[in-house]
Amino acid sequence: MRNVSVADFDGLPVDVLPIGTDYPPDHLLARHEHRRAQLLYGASGVMLVETGEGSWTVPTDRAVLIPAGVAHEVRMLDVTTWSLYVEPDAVPWWPTVCTVVEVGPLLREVLRAANALEVPYDEAGRDAVLVRLALHELQRVAPIPLTVSLPPHGVLRELCRSYLAAPDVHVTNADWARAASVSERTLDRHFREATGVGPAGWRVRARLLSSLPALRRSSVTDVAGRLGYATPAAFTAAFTKAFGAPPSRFR
């Protein structure tokens, strides 16, 4: 099914609801949650997912597994999605926090076919086999660390959210300390308590994540310069260290 509301079909007696959606450019899905677990796959574009715990960047041909009942918002950058909404009891192995995963060729084609199904489908026929295959393949996917933690509330969370929206290599700990009306030492201590990392390291990772949408339309050289790296090689090394793969994998 395409471009329908999951709420209209949530009560159907099927474990898996496949629903595809086409979004306008830069569309924001405001904070919401689902009773079912959700596989949110980006067949095109880039998705930015945020919960109370963190922010996840989901490039084209990757997916994010969202647990049931977790409130989240999603910014869609030229995105077409293929989603599966799954009864929690059918996937006891589902992650308990949002997780970005690689989607291989087989799973991609299964998701494409599943999102063409009409619901309800024959649970004893080929359609049911198709969605069961999707669940089997999902147990084999590899996670990708395309995330940063977010402070749970207050001025630190607002500073992080603002930075994610407009990363700037020139922002310093002193700038953030002034904005939070604390000393740099206090800022560092509170930030580490909230996120597990220091604010400077957090900003480096946030800038690297911001390169993922840019890499869709710009060269590695252009993106590296925009983020303040002296050479494309330096950017590639930092990107690979952070995410386990070079930026060319995400172009």
Side-chain angles (χ1 to χ4, degrees):
M1 297 186 295
R2 297 206 60 78
N3 299 316
V4 298
S5 170
V6 63
D8 294 337
F9 298 89
D10 193 31
L12 290 176
V14 294
D15 283 342
V16 181
L17 287 172
I19 298 176
T21 308
D22 305 303
Y23 291 97
D26 199 22
H27 179 76
L28 177 66
L29 286 178
R31 185 65 59 99
H32 65 288
E33 62 186 70
H34 305 292
R35 185 187 63 80
R36 295 174 181 245
Q38 182 185 10
L39 162 80
L40 180 60
Y41 169 81
S44 66
V46 176
M47 300 178 290
L48 308 177
V49 179
E50 182 181 312
T51 73
E53 297 178 318
S55 175
W56 290 259
T57 302
V58 191
T60 304
D61 276 340
R62 277 79 178 180
V64 57
L65 306 183
I66 304 173
V70 169
H72 58 284
E73 68 177 45
V74 188
R75 185 168 294 281
M76 303 288 188
L77 305 179
D78 301 319
V79 174
T80 292
T81 64
W82 302 337
S83 283
L84 301 179
Y85 296 89
V86 189
E87 287 288 351
D89 290 346
V91 285
W93 44 265
W94 205 264
T96 57
V97 296
C98 290
T99 304
V100 179
V101 297
E102 291 278 7
V103 174
L106 175 57
L107 180 55
R108 181 170 60 248
E109 293 309 312
V110 170
L111 292 174
R112 185 199 305 273
N115 274 258
L117 299 178
E118 293 299 321
V119 177
Y121 47 80
D122 179 7
E123 289 201 273
R126 178 257 188 190
D127 295 348
V129 172
L130 188 68
V131 295
R132 285 199 297 272
L133 177 58
L135 296 187
H136 279 295
E137 286 299 302
L138 277 173
Q139 294 183 70
R140 299 162 53 88
V141 294
I144 324 171
L146 302 181
T147 181
V148 288
S149 299
L150 288 176
H153 50 72
V155 65
L156 293 184
R157 184 179 180 90
E158 292 310 311
L159 285 170
C160 289
R161 295 191 75 212
S162 297
Y163 196 85
L164 286 169
D168 182 351
V169 69
H170 299 104
V171 171
T172 66
N173 284 1
D175 296 326
W176 275 12
R178 281 193 297 272
S181 300
V182 297
S183 69
E184 289 186 53
R185 180 175 294 182
T186 299
L187 172 80
D188 186 81
R189 184 177 74 254
H190 288 174
F191 200 92
R192 288 179 186 274
E193 290 171 353
T195 67
V197 298
W202 187 95
R203 289 194 300 271
V204 170
R205 189 174 183 86
R207 289 197 299 275
L208 290 170
L209 281 173
S210 76
S211 71
L212 291 167
L215 285 168
R216 295 173 56 223
R217 296 187 175 89
S218 302
S219 69
V220 170
T221 299
D222 288 342
V223 173
R226 199 177 308 161
L227 295 182
Y229 286 89
T231 65
F235 166 63
T236 297
F239 188 102
T240 303
K241 181 180 180 181
F243 305 135
S248 58
R249 280 275 304 277
F250 296 89
R251 295 202 67 228

